[in-house]
Amino acid sequence: GYQKMRRVFGQGIHEYSLAAGLASRFIGGIYHRRDHIADPNGRVPFEPVSAQKQQQALDFIINNIFSLSEKSLPNSAILNKLAPERMPGAGNAPTLDVQFANTILAIQQSALNYMYEPTVLRRLDNISLKYKKDEPRFGLEELFTGVRAGIWTEVSKGENINSFRSNLQRAHMEKIISIYLSDSRAYPSDAIALARQDLVIIKNYCSVAEGNSNLDDITKAHLEDINARITTALDWKINR
């Protein structure tokens, strides 16, 4: 019946959630081994995840998780058939229909929140010391620059923004503002500086895009809101 279609749909969405969680663990990741010092072919206790693997993980998140939108969903003929179970104990969803935008945003935020965790950022701040001299590095700069470029593509190009992407952009902005306004003891000072740089660049994107007559009204309203919030955050920290 329709309830089985909804269960199958939920299983598919859950796979995206698992992928987001697994891929984000590579960012700032370190392998921990329990080899003893005298073991044959013994390995050192700690080894950072290579820069190549971290970049691949970030690219995966940008291309497969942050890119989720209405284009990723089945057509309306299927979506309107996703009826819930009505048996006792089958779950207490807040609404009968699936809230697709909220569901996708929750998956995206799980990856976003993990990558910007203070522990992960502190590790990225120090991880370059653990690479060999000739090895490529993946640190704070690569994370902040890569995520910003992957999330704000439409703004930098002056394109219309759908609701799924605007939700993600707002979540990213709020996360970056929280880092910028945070106590410097919680985050590395370079992470706070990069957060400010992100905000300034995004604000400039929005200021330029607001004058684009080809943008629809909802996109303009979104950009004006983003611009205003960033301006408030920047001014507050300067004047506090």
Side-chain angles (χ1 to χ4, degrees), residues 97-232:
D97 59 325
V98 180
Q99 299 297 298
F100 303 107
N102 292 343
T103 300
I104 287 179
L105 180 60
I107 295 172
Q108 295 169 329
Q109 282 185 301
S110 68
L112 198 64
N113 291 338
Y114 181 85
M115 292 189 293
Y116 286 117
E117 273 288 317
T119 301
V120 174
L121 295 182
R122 285 195 296 269
R123 189 176 291 158
L124 284 172
D125 191 36
N126 290 280
I127 205 168
S128 62
L129 301 173
K130 297 181 173 68
Y131 287 117
K132 296 177 182 178
K133 288 186 178 180
D134 57 342
E135 281 187 297
R137 265 66 168 164
F138 186 99
L140 290 171
E141 182 179 358
E142 287 75 18
L143 174 65
F144 277 80
T145 302
V147 173
R148 184 186 70 240
I151 291 180
W152 297 89
T153 307
E154 299 90 345
V155 183
S156 64
K157 293 181 178 179
E159 298 174 348
N160 285 321
I161 306 167
N162 64 55
S163 61
F164 290 83
R165 290 286 288 180
S166 65
N167 287 343
L168 175 60
Q169 289 169 0
R170 192 173 292 107
H172 176 251
M173 175 207 63
E174 290 172 351
K175 175 60 67 175
I176 294 300
I177 286 177
S178 71
I179 294 172
Y180 174 61
L181 298 180
S182 70
D183 188 326
S184 59
R185 291 172 294 182
Y187 291 94
S189 57
D190 283 346
I192 295 174
L194 287 167
R196 181 186 182 281
Q197 182 183 66
D198 270 1
L199 294 174
V200 171
I201 291 173
I202 294 167
K203 176 177 167 58
N204 290 339
Y205 283 161
C206 292
S207 296
V208 172
E210 284 175 15
N212 186 346
S213 60
N214 295 321
L215 297 180
D216 56 34
D217 289 343
I218 193 66
T219 295
K220 289 181 179 180
H222 168 65
L223 296 179
E224 289 171 1
D225 179 57
I226 293 292
N227 201 342
R229 293 191 187 198
I230 291 177
T231 299
T232 299

Side-chain angles (χ1 to χ4, degrees), residues 45-58:
F46 297 107
E47 179 188 353
V49 173
S50 70
Q52 180 184 12
K53 284 189 177 180
Q54 292 192 65
Q55 186 62 58
Q56 288 174 343
L58 181 57

Side-chain angles (χ1 to χ4, degrees), residues 5 9 73-83 98 100:
M5 291 181 67
F9 177 82
L73 298 171
N75 60 43
S76 60
I78 294 177
L79 298 181
N80 288 327
K81 294 177 181 178
L82 303 179
V98 180
F100 303 107

